Structure formats: structure tokens, C-alpha cells
Amino acid sequence: MLAKDIKPGMVVTYQDTPCLIESVSVQSPSARGAATLYKYRARNLITKQKIDITLKGQDELEEADFQRRPVKFMYSDPTHYHFLDQVDFNQYSLTHEEVAAERDYLTEELEGIQALIYNDRCVAIQLPVAVELRIVECSPAVRGSSATSRNKPAKVETGLVIQVPEYLSPGDKVKVDTRTGEFLSRV
């Protein structure tokens, strides 16, 4: 696959390991005859390390041989998070370290999660772009504050603290972006 065709969310093989592309930036040349550079921020799915990859427009990377399977989060225990495959009902377990970046968005029965299966082993999960979470703790709503765009910190059911508008109160459900951790809307 050509460098210019690689998009965020794709899994490619780099140095014989599968890597999930997280972001792409393009650097256009300022001189004639210079090549456009594509810079990728990727995460090695086996070691979980961040990798910076720089390619010219005509360079190629292979797409990794892996599967995406729809799973549902079931429960967590002191050492692992457990997921249920929605197609063949296999169970996958990942350690707390393997889901460190995603754990603030996981709630029981959360759907839309994709398991990344490499060599018949679940190596990572991919969350939906947005999830709905309930606010459990924040300062009281201020009457008449919906006209201003001030924010306040709020703790959601998973323990994550996000910035929300002042008019929200405990018990409200909000939609949160899983890529940035930002408040998107009230549900």
C-alpha cells in the first residue's frame, strides 16, 4: 500500500510487527524535485510502544494480516479486562496495562468495540469514536449559566474527569470523544 493511501485507524506491518496508525501529517516540499513526506504516529500492537514512521509518497507498507471482530465489554477483575466476541462468542482477556488508554471509557455492556486479532490472539481493542457516560460528581449547576461558555470539571462513572458546561449536574449523561477525552454533547 502506498504511503499516500495510509489513513488513521489502519493497521500496517512495520519492522515485521503490526502497527495501528493513530495520526498522519503531510509535509509538502518547498523545492522542486523534492518528495512529499508522510509522517505517521503509530502504536505497535504487540509492545504498545509509540512509533514515528516517515515515508516518501512512493514508499510502501504492507497491510497487516489481522482481523477486526466486534466485541462487548463484559467485566474486569483485578488483573484483566474480559470481552465477548459478538460473532462466535469466544472470550478475550487483556491485562490492565494493555487497555490503559481505553479503560476510562469502558462501561459494562458497551457495544461498538472492535477487537484486533493477530495470529489468533487479541492484541488490542478499538473503541467507538464517542461513548455515553453518566456524570457522578461535579459542582452544582448554576442557574442562568447556559448563555456563557464556561466549563467546570466533572467526574464520570468510570473515574475520568472531563470539562463540561456549567449547566450540567450529577446524573446527566454526556457524550465523550474517546480520541481526545473532550465533552461533545448532552445526551
Side-chain angles (χ1 to χ4, degrees):
M1 172 182 308
L2 290 175
K4 64 182 181 178
D5 297 329
I6 299 172
K7 306 283 183 241
M10 295 179 105
V11 178
V12 296
T13 302
Y14 181 70
Q15 296 177 344
D16 297 326
T17 59
C19 296
L20 174 68
I21 302 295
E22 294 180 345
S23 67
V24 178
S25 66
V26 180
Q27 191 173 10
S28 297
S30 58
R32 271 197 233 188
T36 300
L37 295 178
Y38 294 86
K39 295 184 178 187
Y40 306 99
R41 171 57 63 104
R43 184 169 23 123
N44 184 320
L45 293 177
I46 306 298
T47 64
K48 307 296 183 221
Q49 292 178 323
K50 299 271 186 195
I51 300 172
D52 290 322
I53 304 170
T54 303
L55 300 173
K56 294 181 180 173
Q58 297 303 313
D59 291 346
E60 293 186 27
L61 284 178
E62 287 184 34
E63 203 164 351
D65 183 24
F66 80 105
Q67 293 180 325
R68 283 184 203 268
R69 304 201 42 107
V71 295
K72 183 190 279 188
F73 173 60
M74 294 188 323
Y75 65 95
S76 66
D77 60 30
T79 59
H80 289 81
Y81 282 83
H82 302 276
F83 301 90
L84 179 68
D85 191 317
Q86 297 292 82
V87 178
D88 61 9
F89 304 107
N90 282 336
Q91 285 191 23
Y92 302 114
S93 297
L94 293 171
T95 65
H96 285 270
E97 293 81 30
E98 291 174 320
V99 292
E102 295 89 1
R103 84 174 88 180
D104 288 335
Y105 306 102
L106 288 174
T107 57
E108 286 188 19
E109 306 300 316
L110 176 64
E111 294 190 22
I113 304 171
Q114 298 282 319
L116 304 179
I117 310 297
Y118 183 71
N119 290 341
D120 296 326
R121 183 178 165 264
C122 182
V123 293
I125 58 167
Q126 225 174 8
L127 294 173
V129 174
V131 295
E132 294 178 6
L133 299 170
R134 185 173 307 282
I135 296 175
V136 294
E137 186 181 311
C138 67
S139 57
V142 178
R143 197 152 187 67
S145 66
S146 61
T148 63
S149 62
R150 293 187 302 195
N151 290 334
K152 63 182 179 182
K155 188 176 190 177
V156 295
E157 60 192 305
T158 61
L160 177 68
V161 176
I162 59 171
Q163 294 292 319
V164 298
E166 279 190 333
Y167 61 86
L168 294 175
S169 57
D172 289 344
K173 282 191 105 172
V174 294
K175 191 176 279 192
V176 179
D177 188 324
T178 59
R179 299 165 297 183
T180 62
E182 294 177 352
F183 166 82
L184 293 176
S185 66
R186 184 182 200 173
V187 179

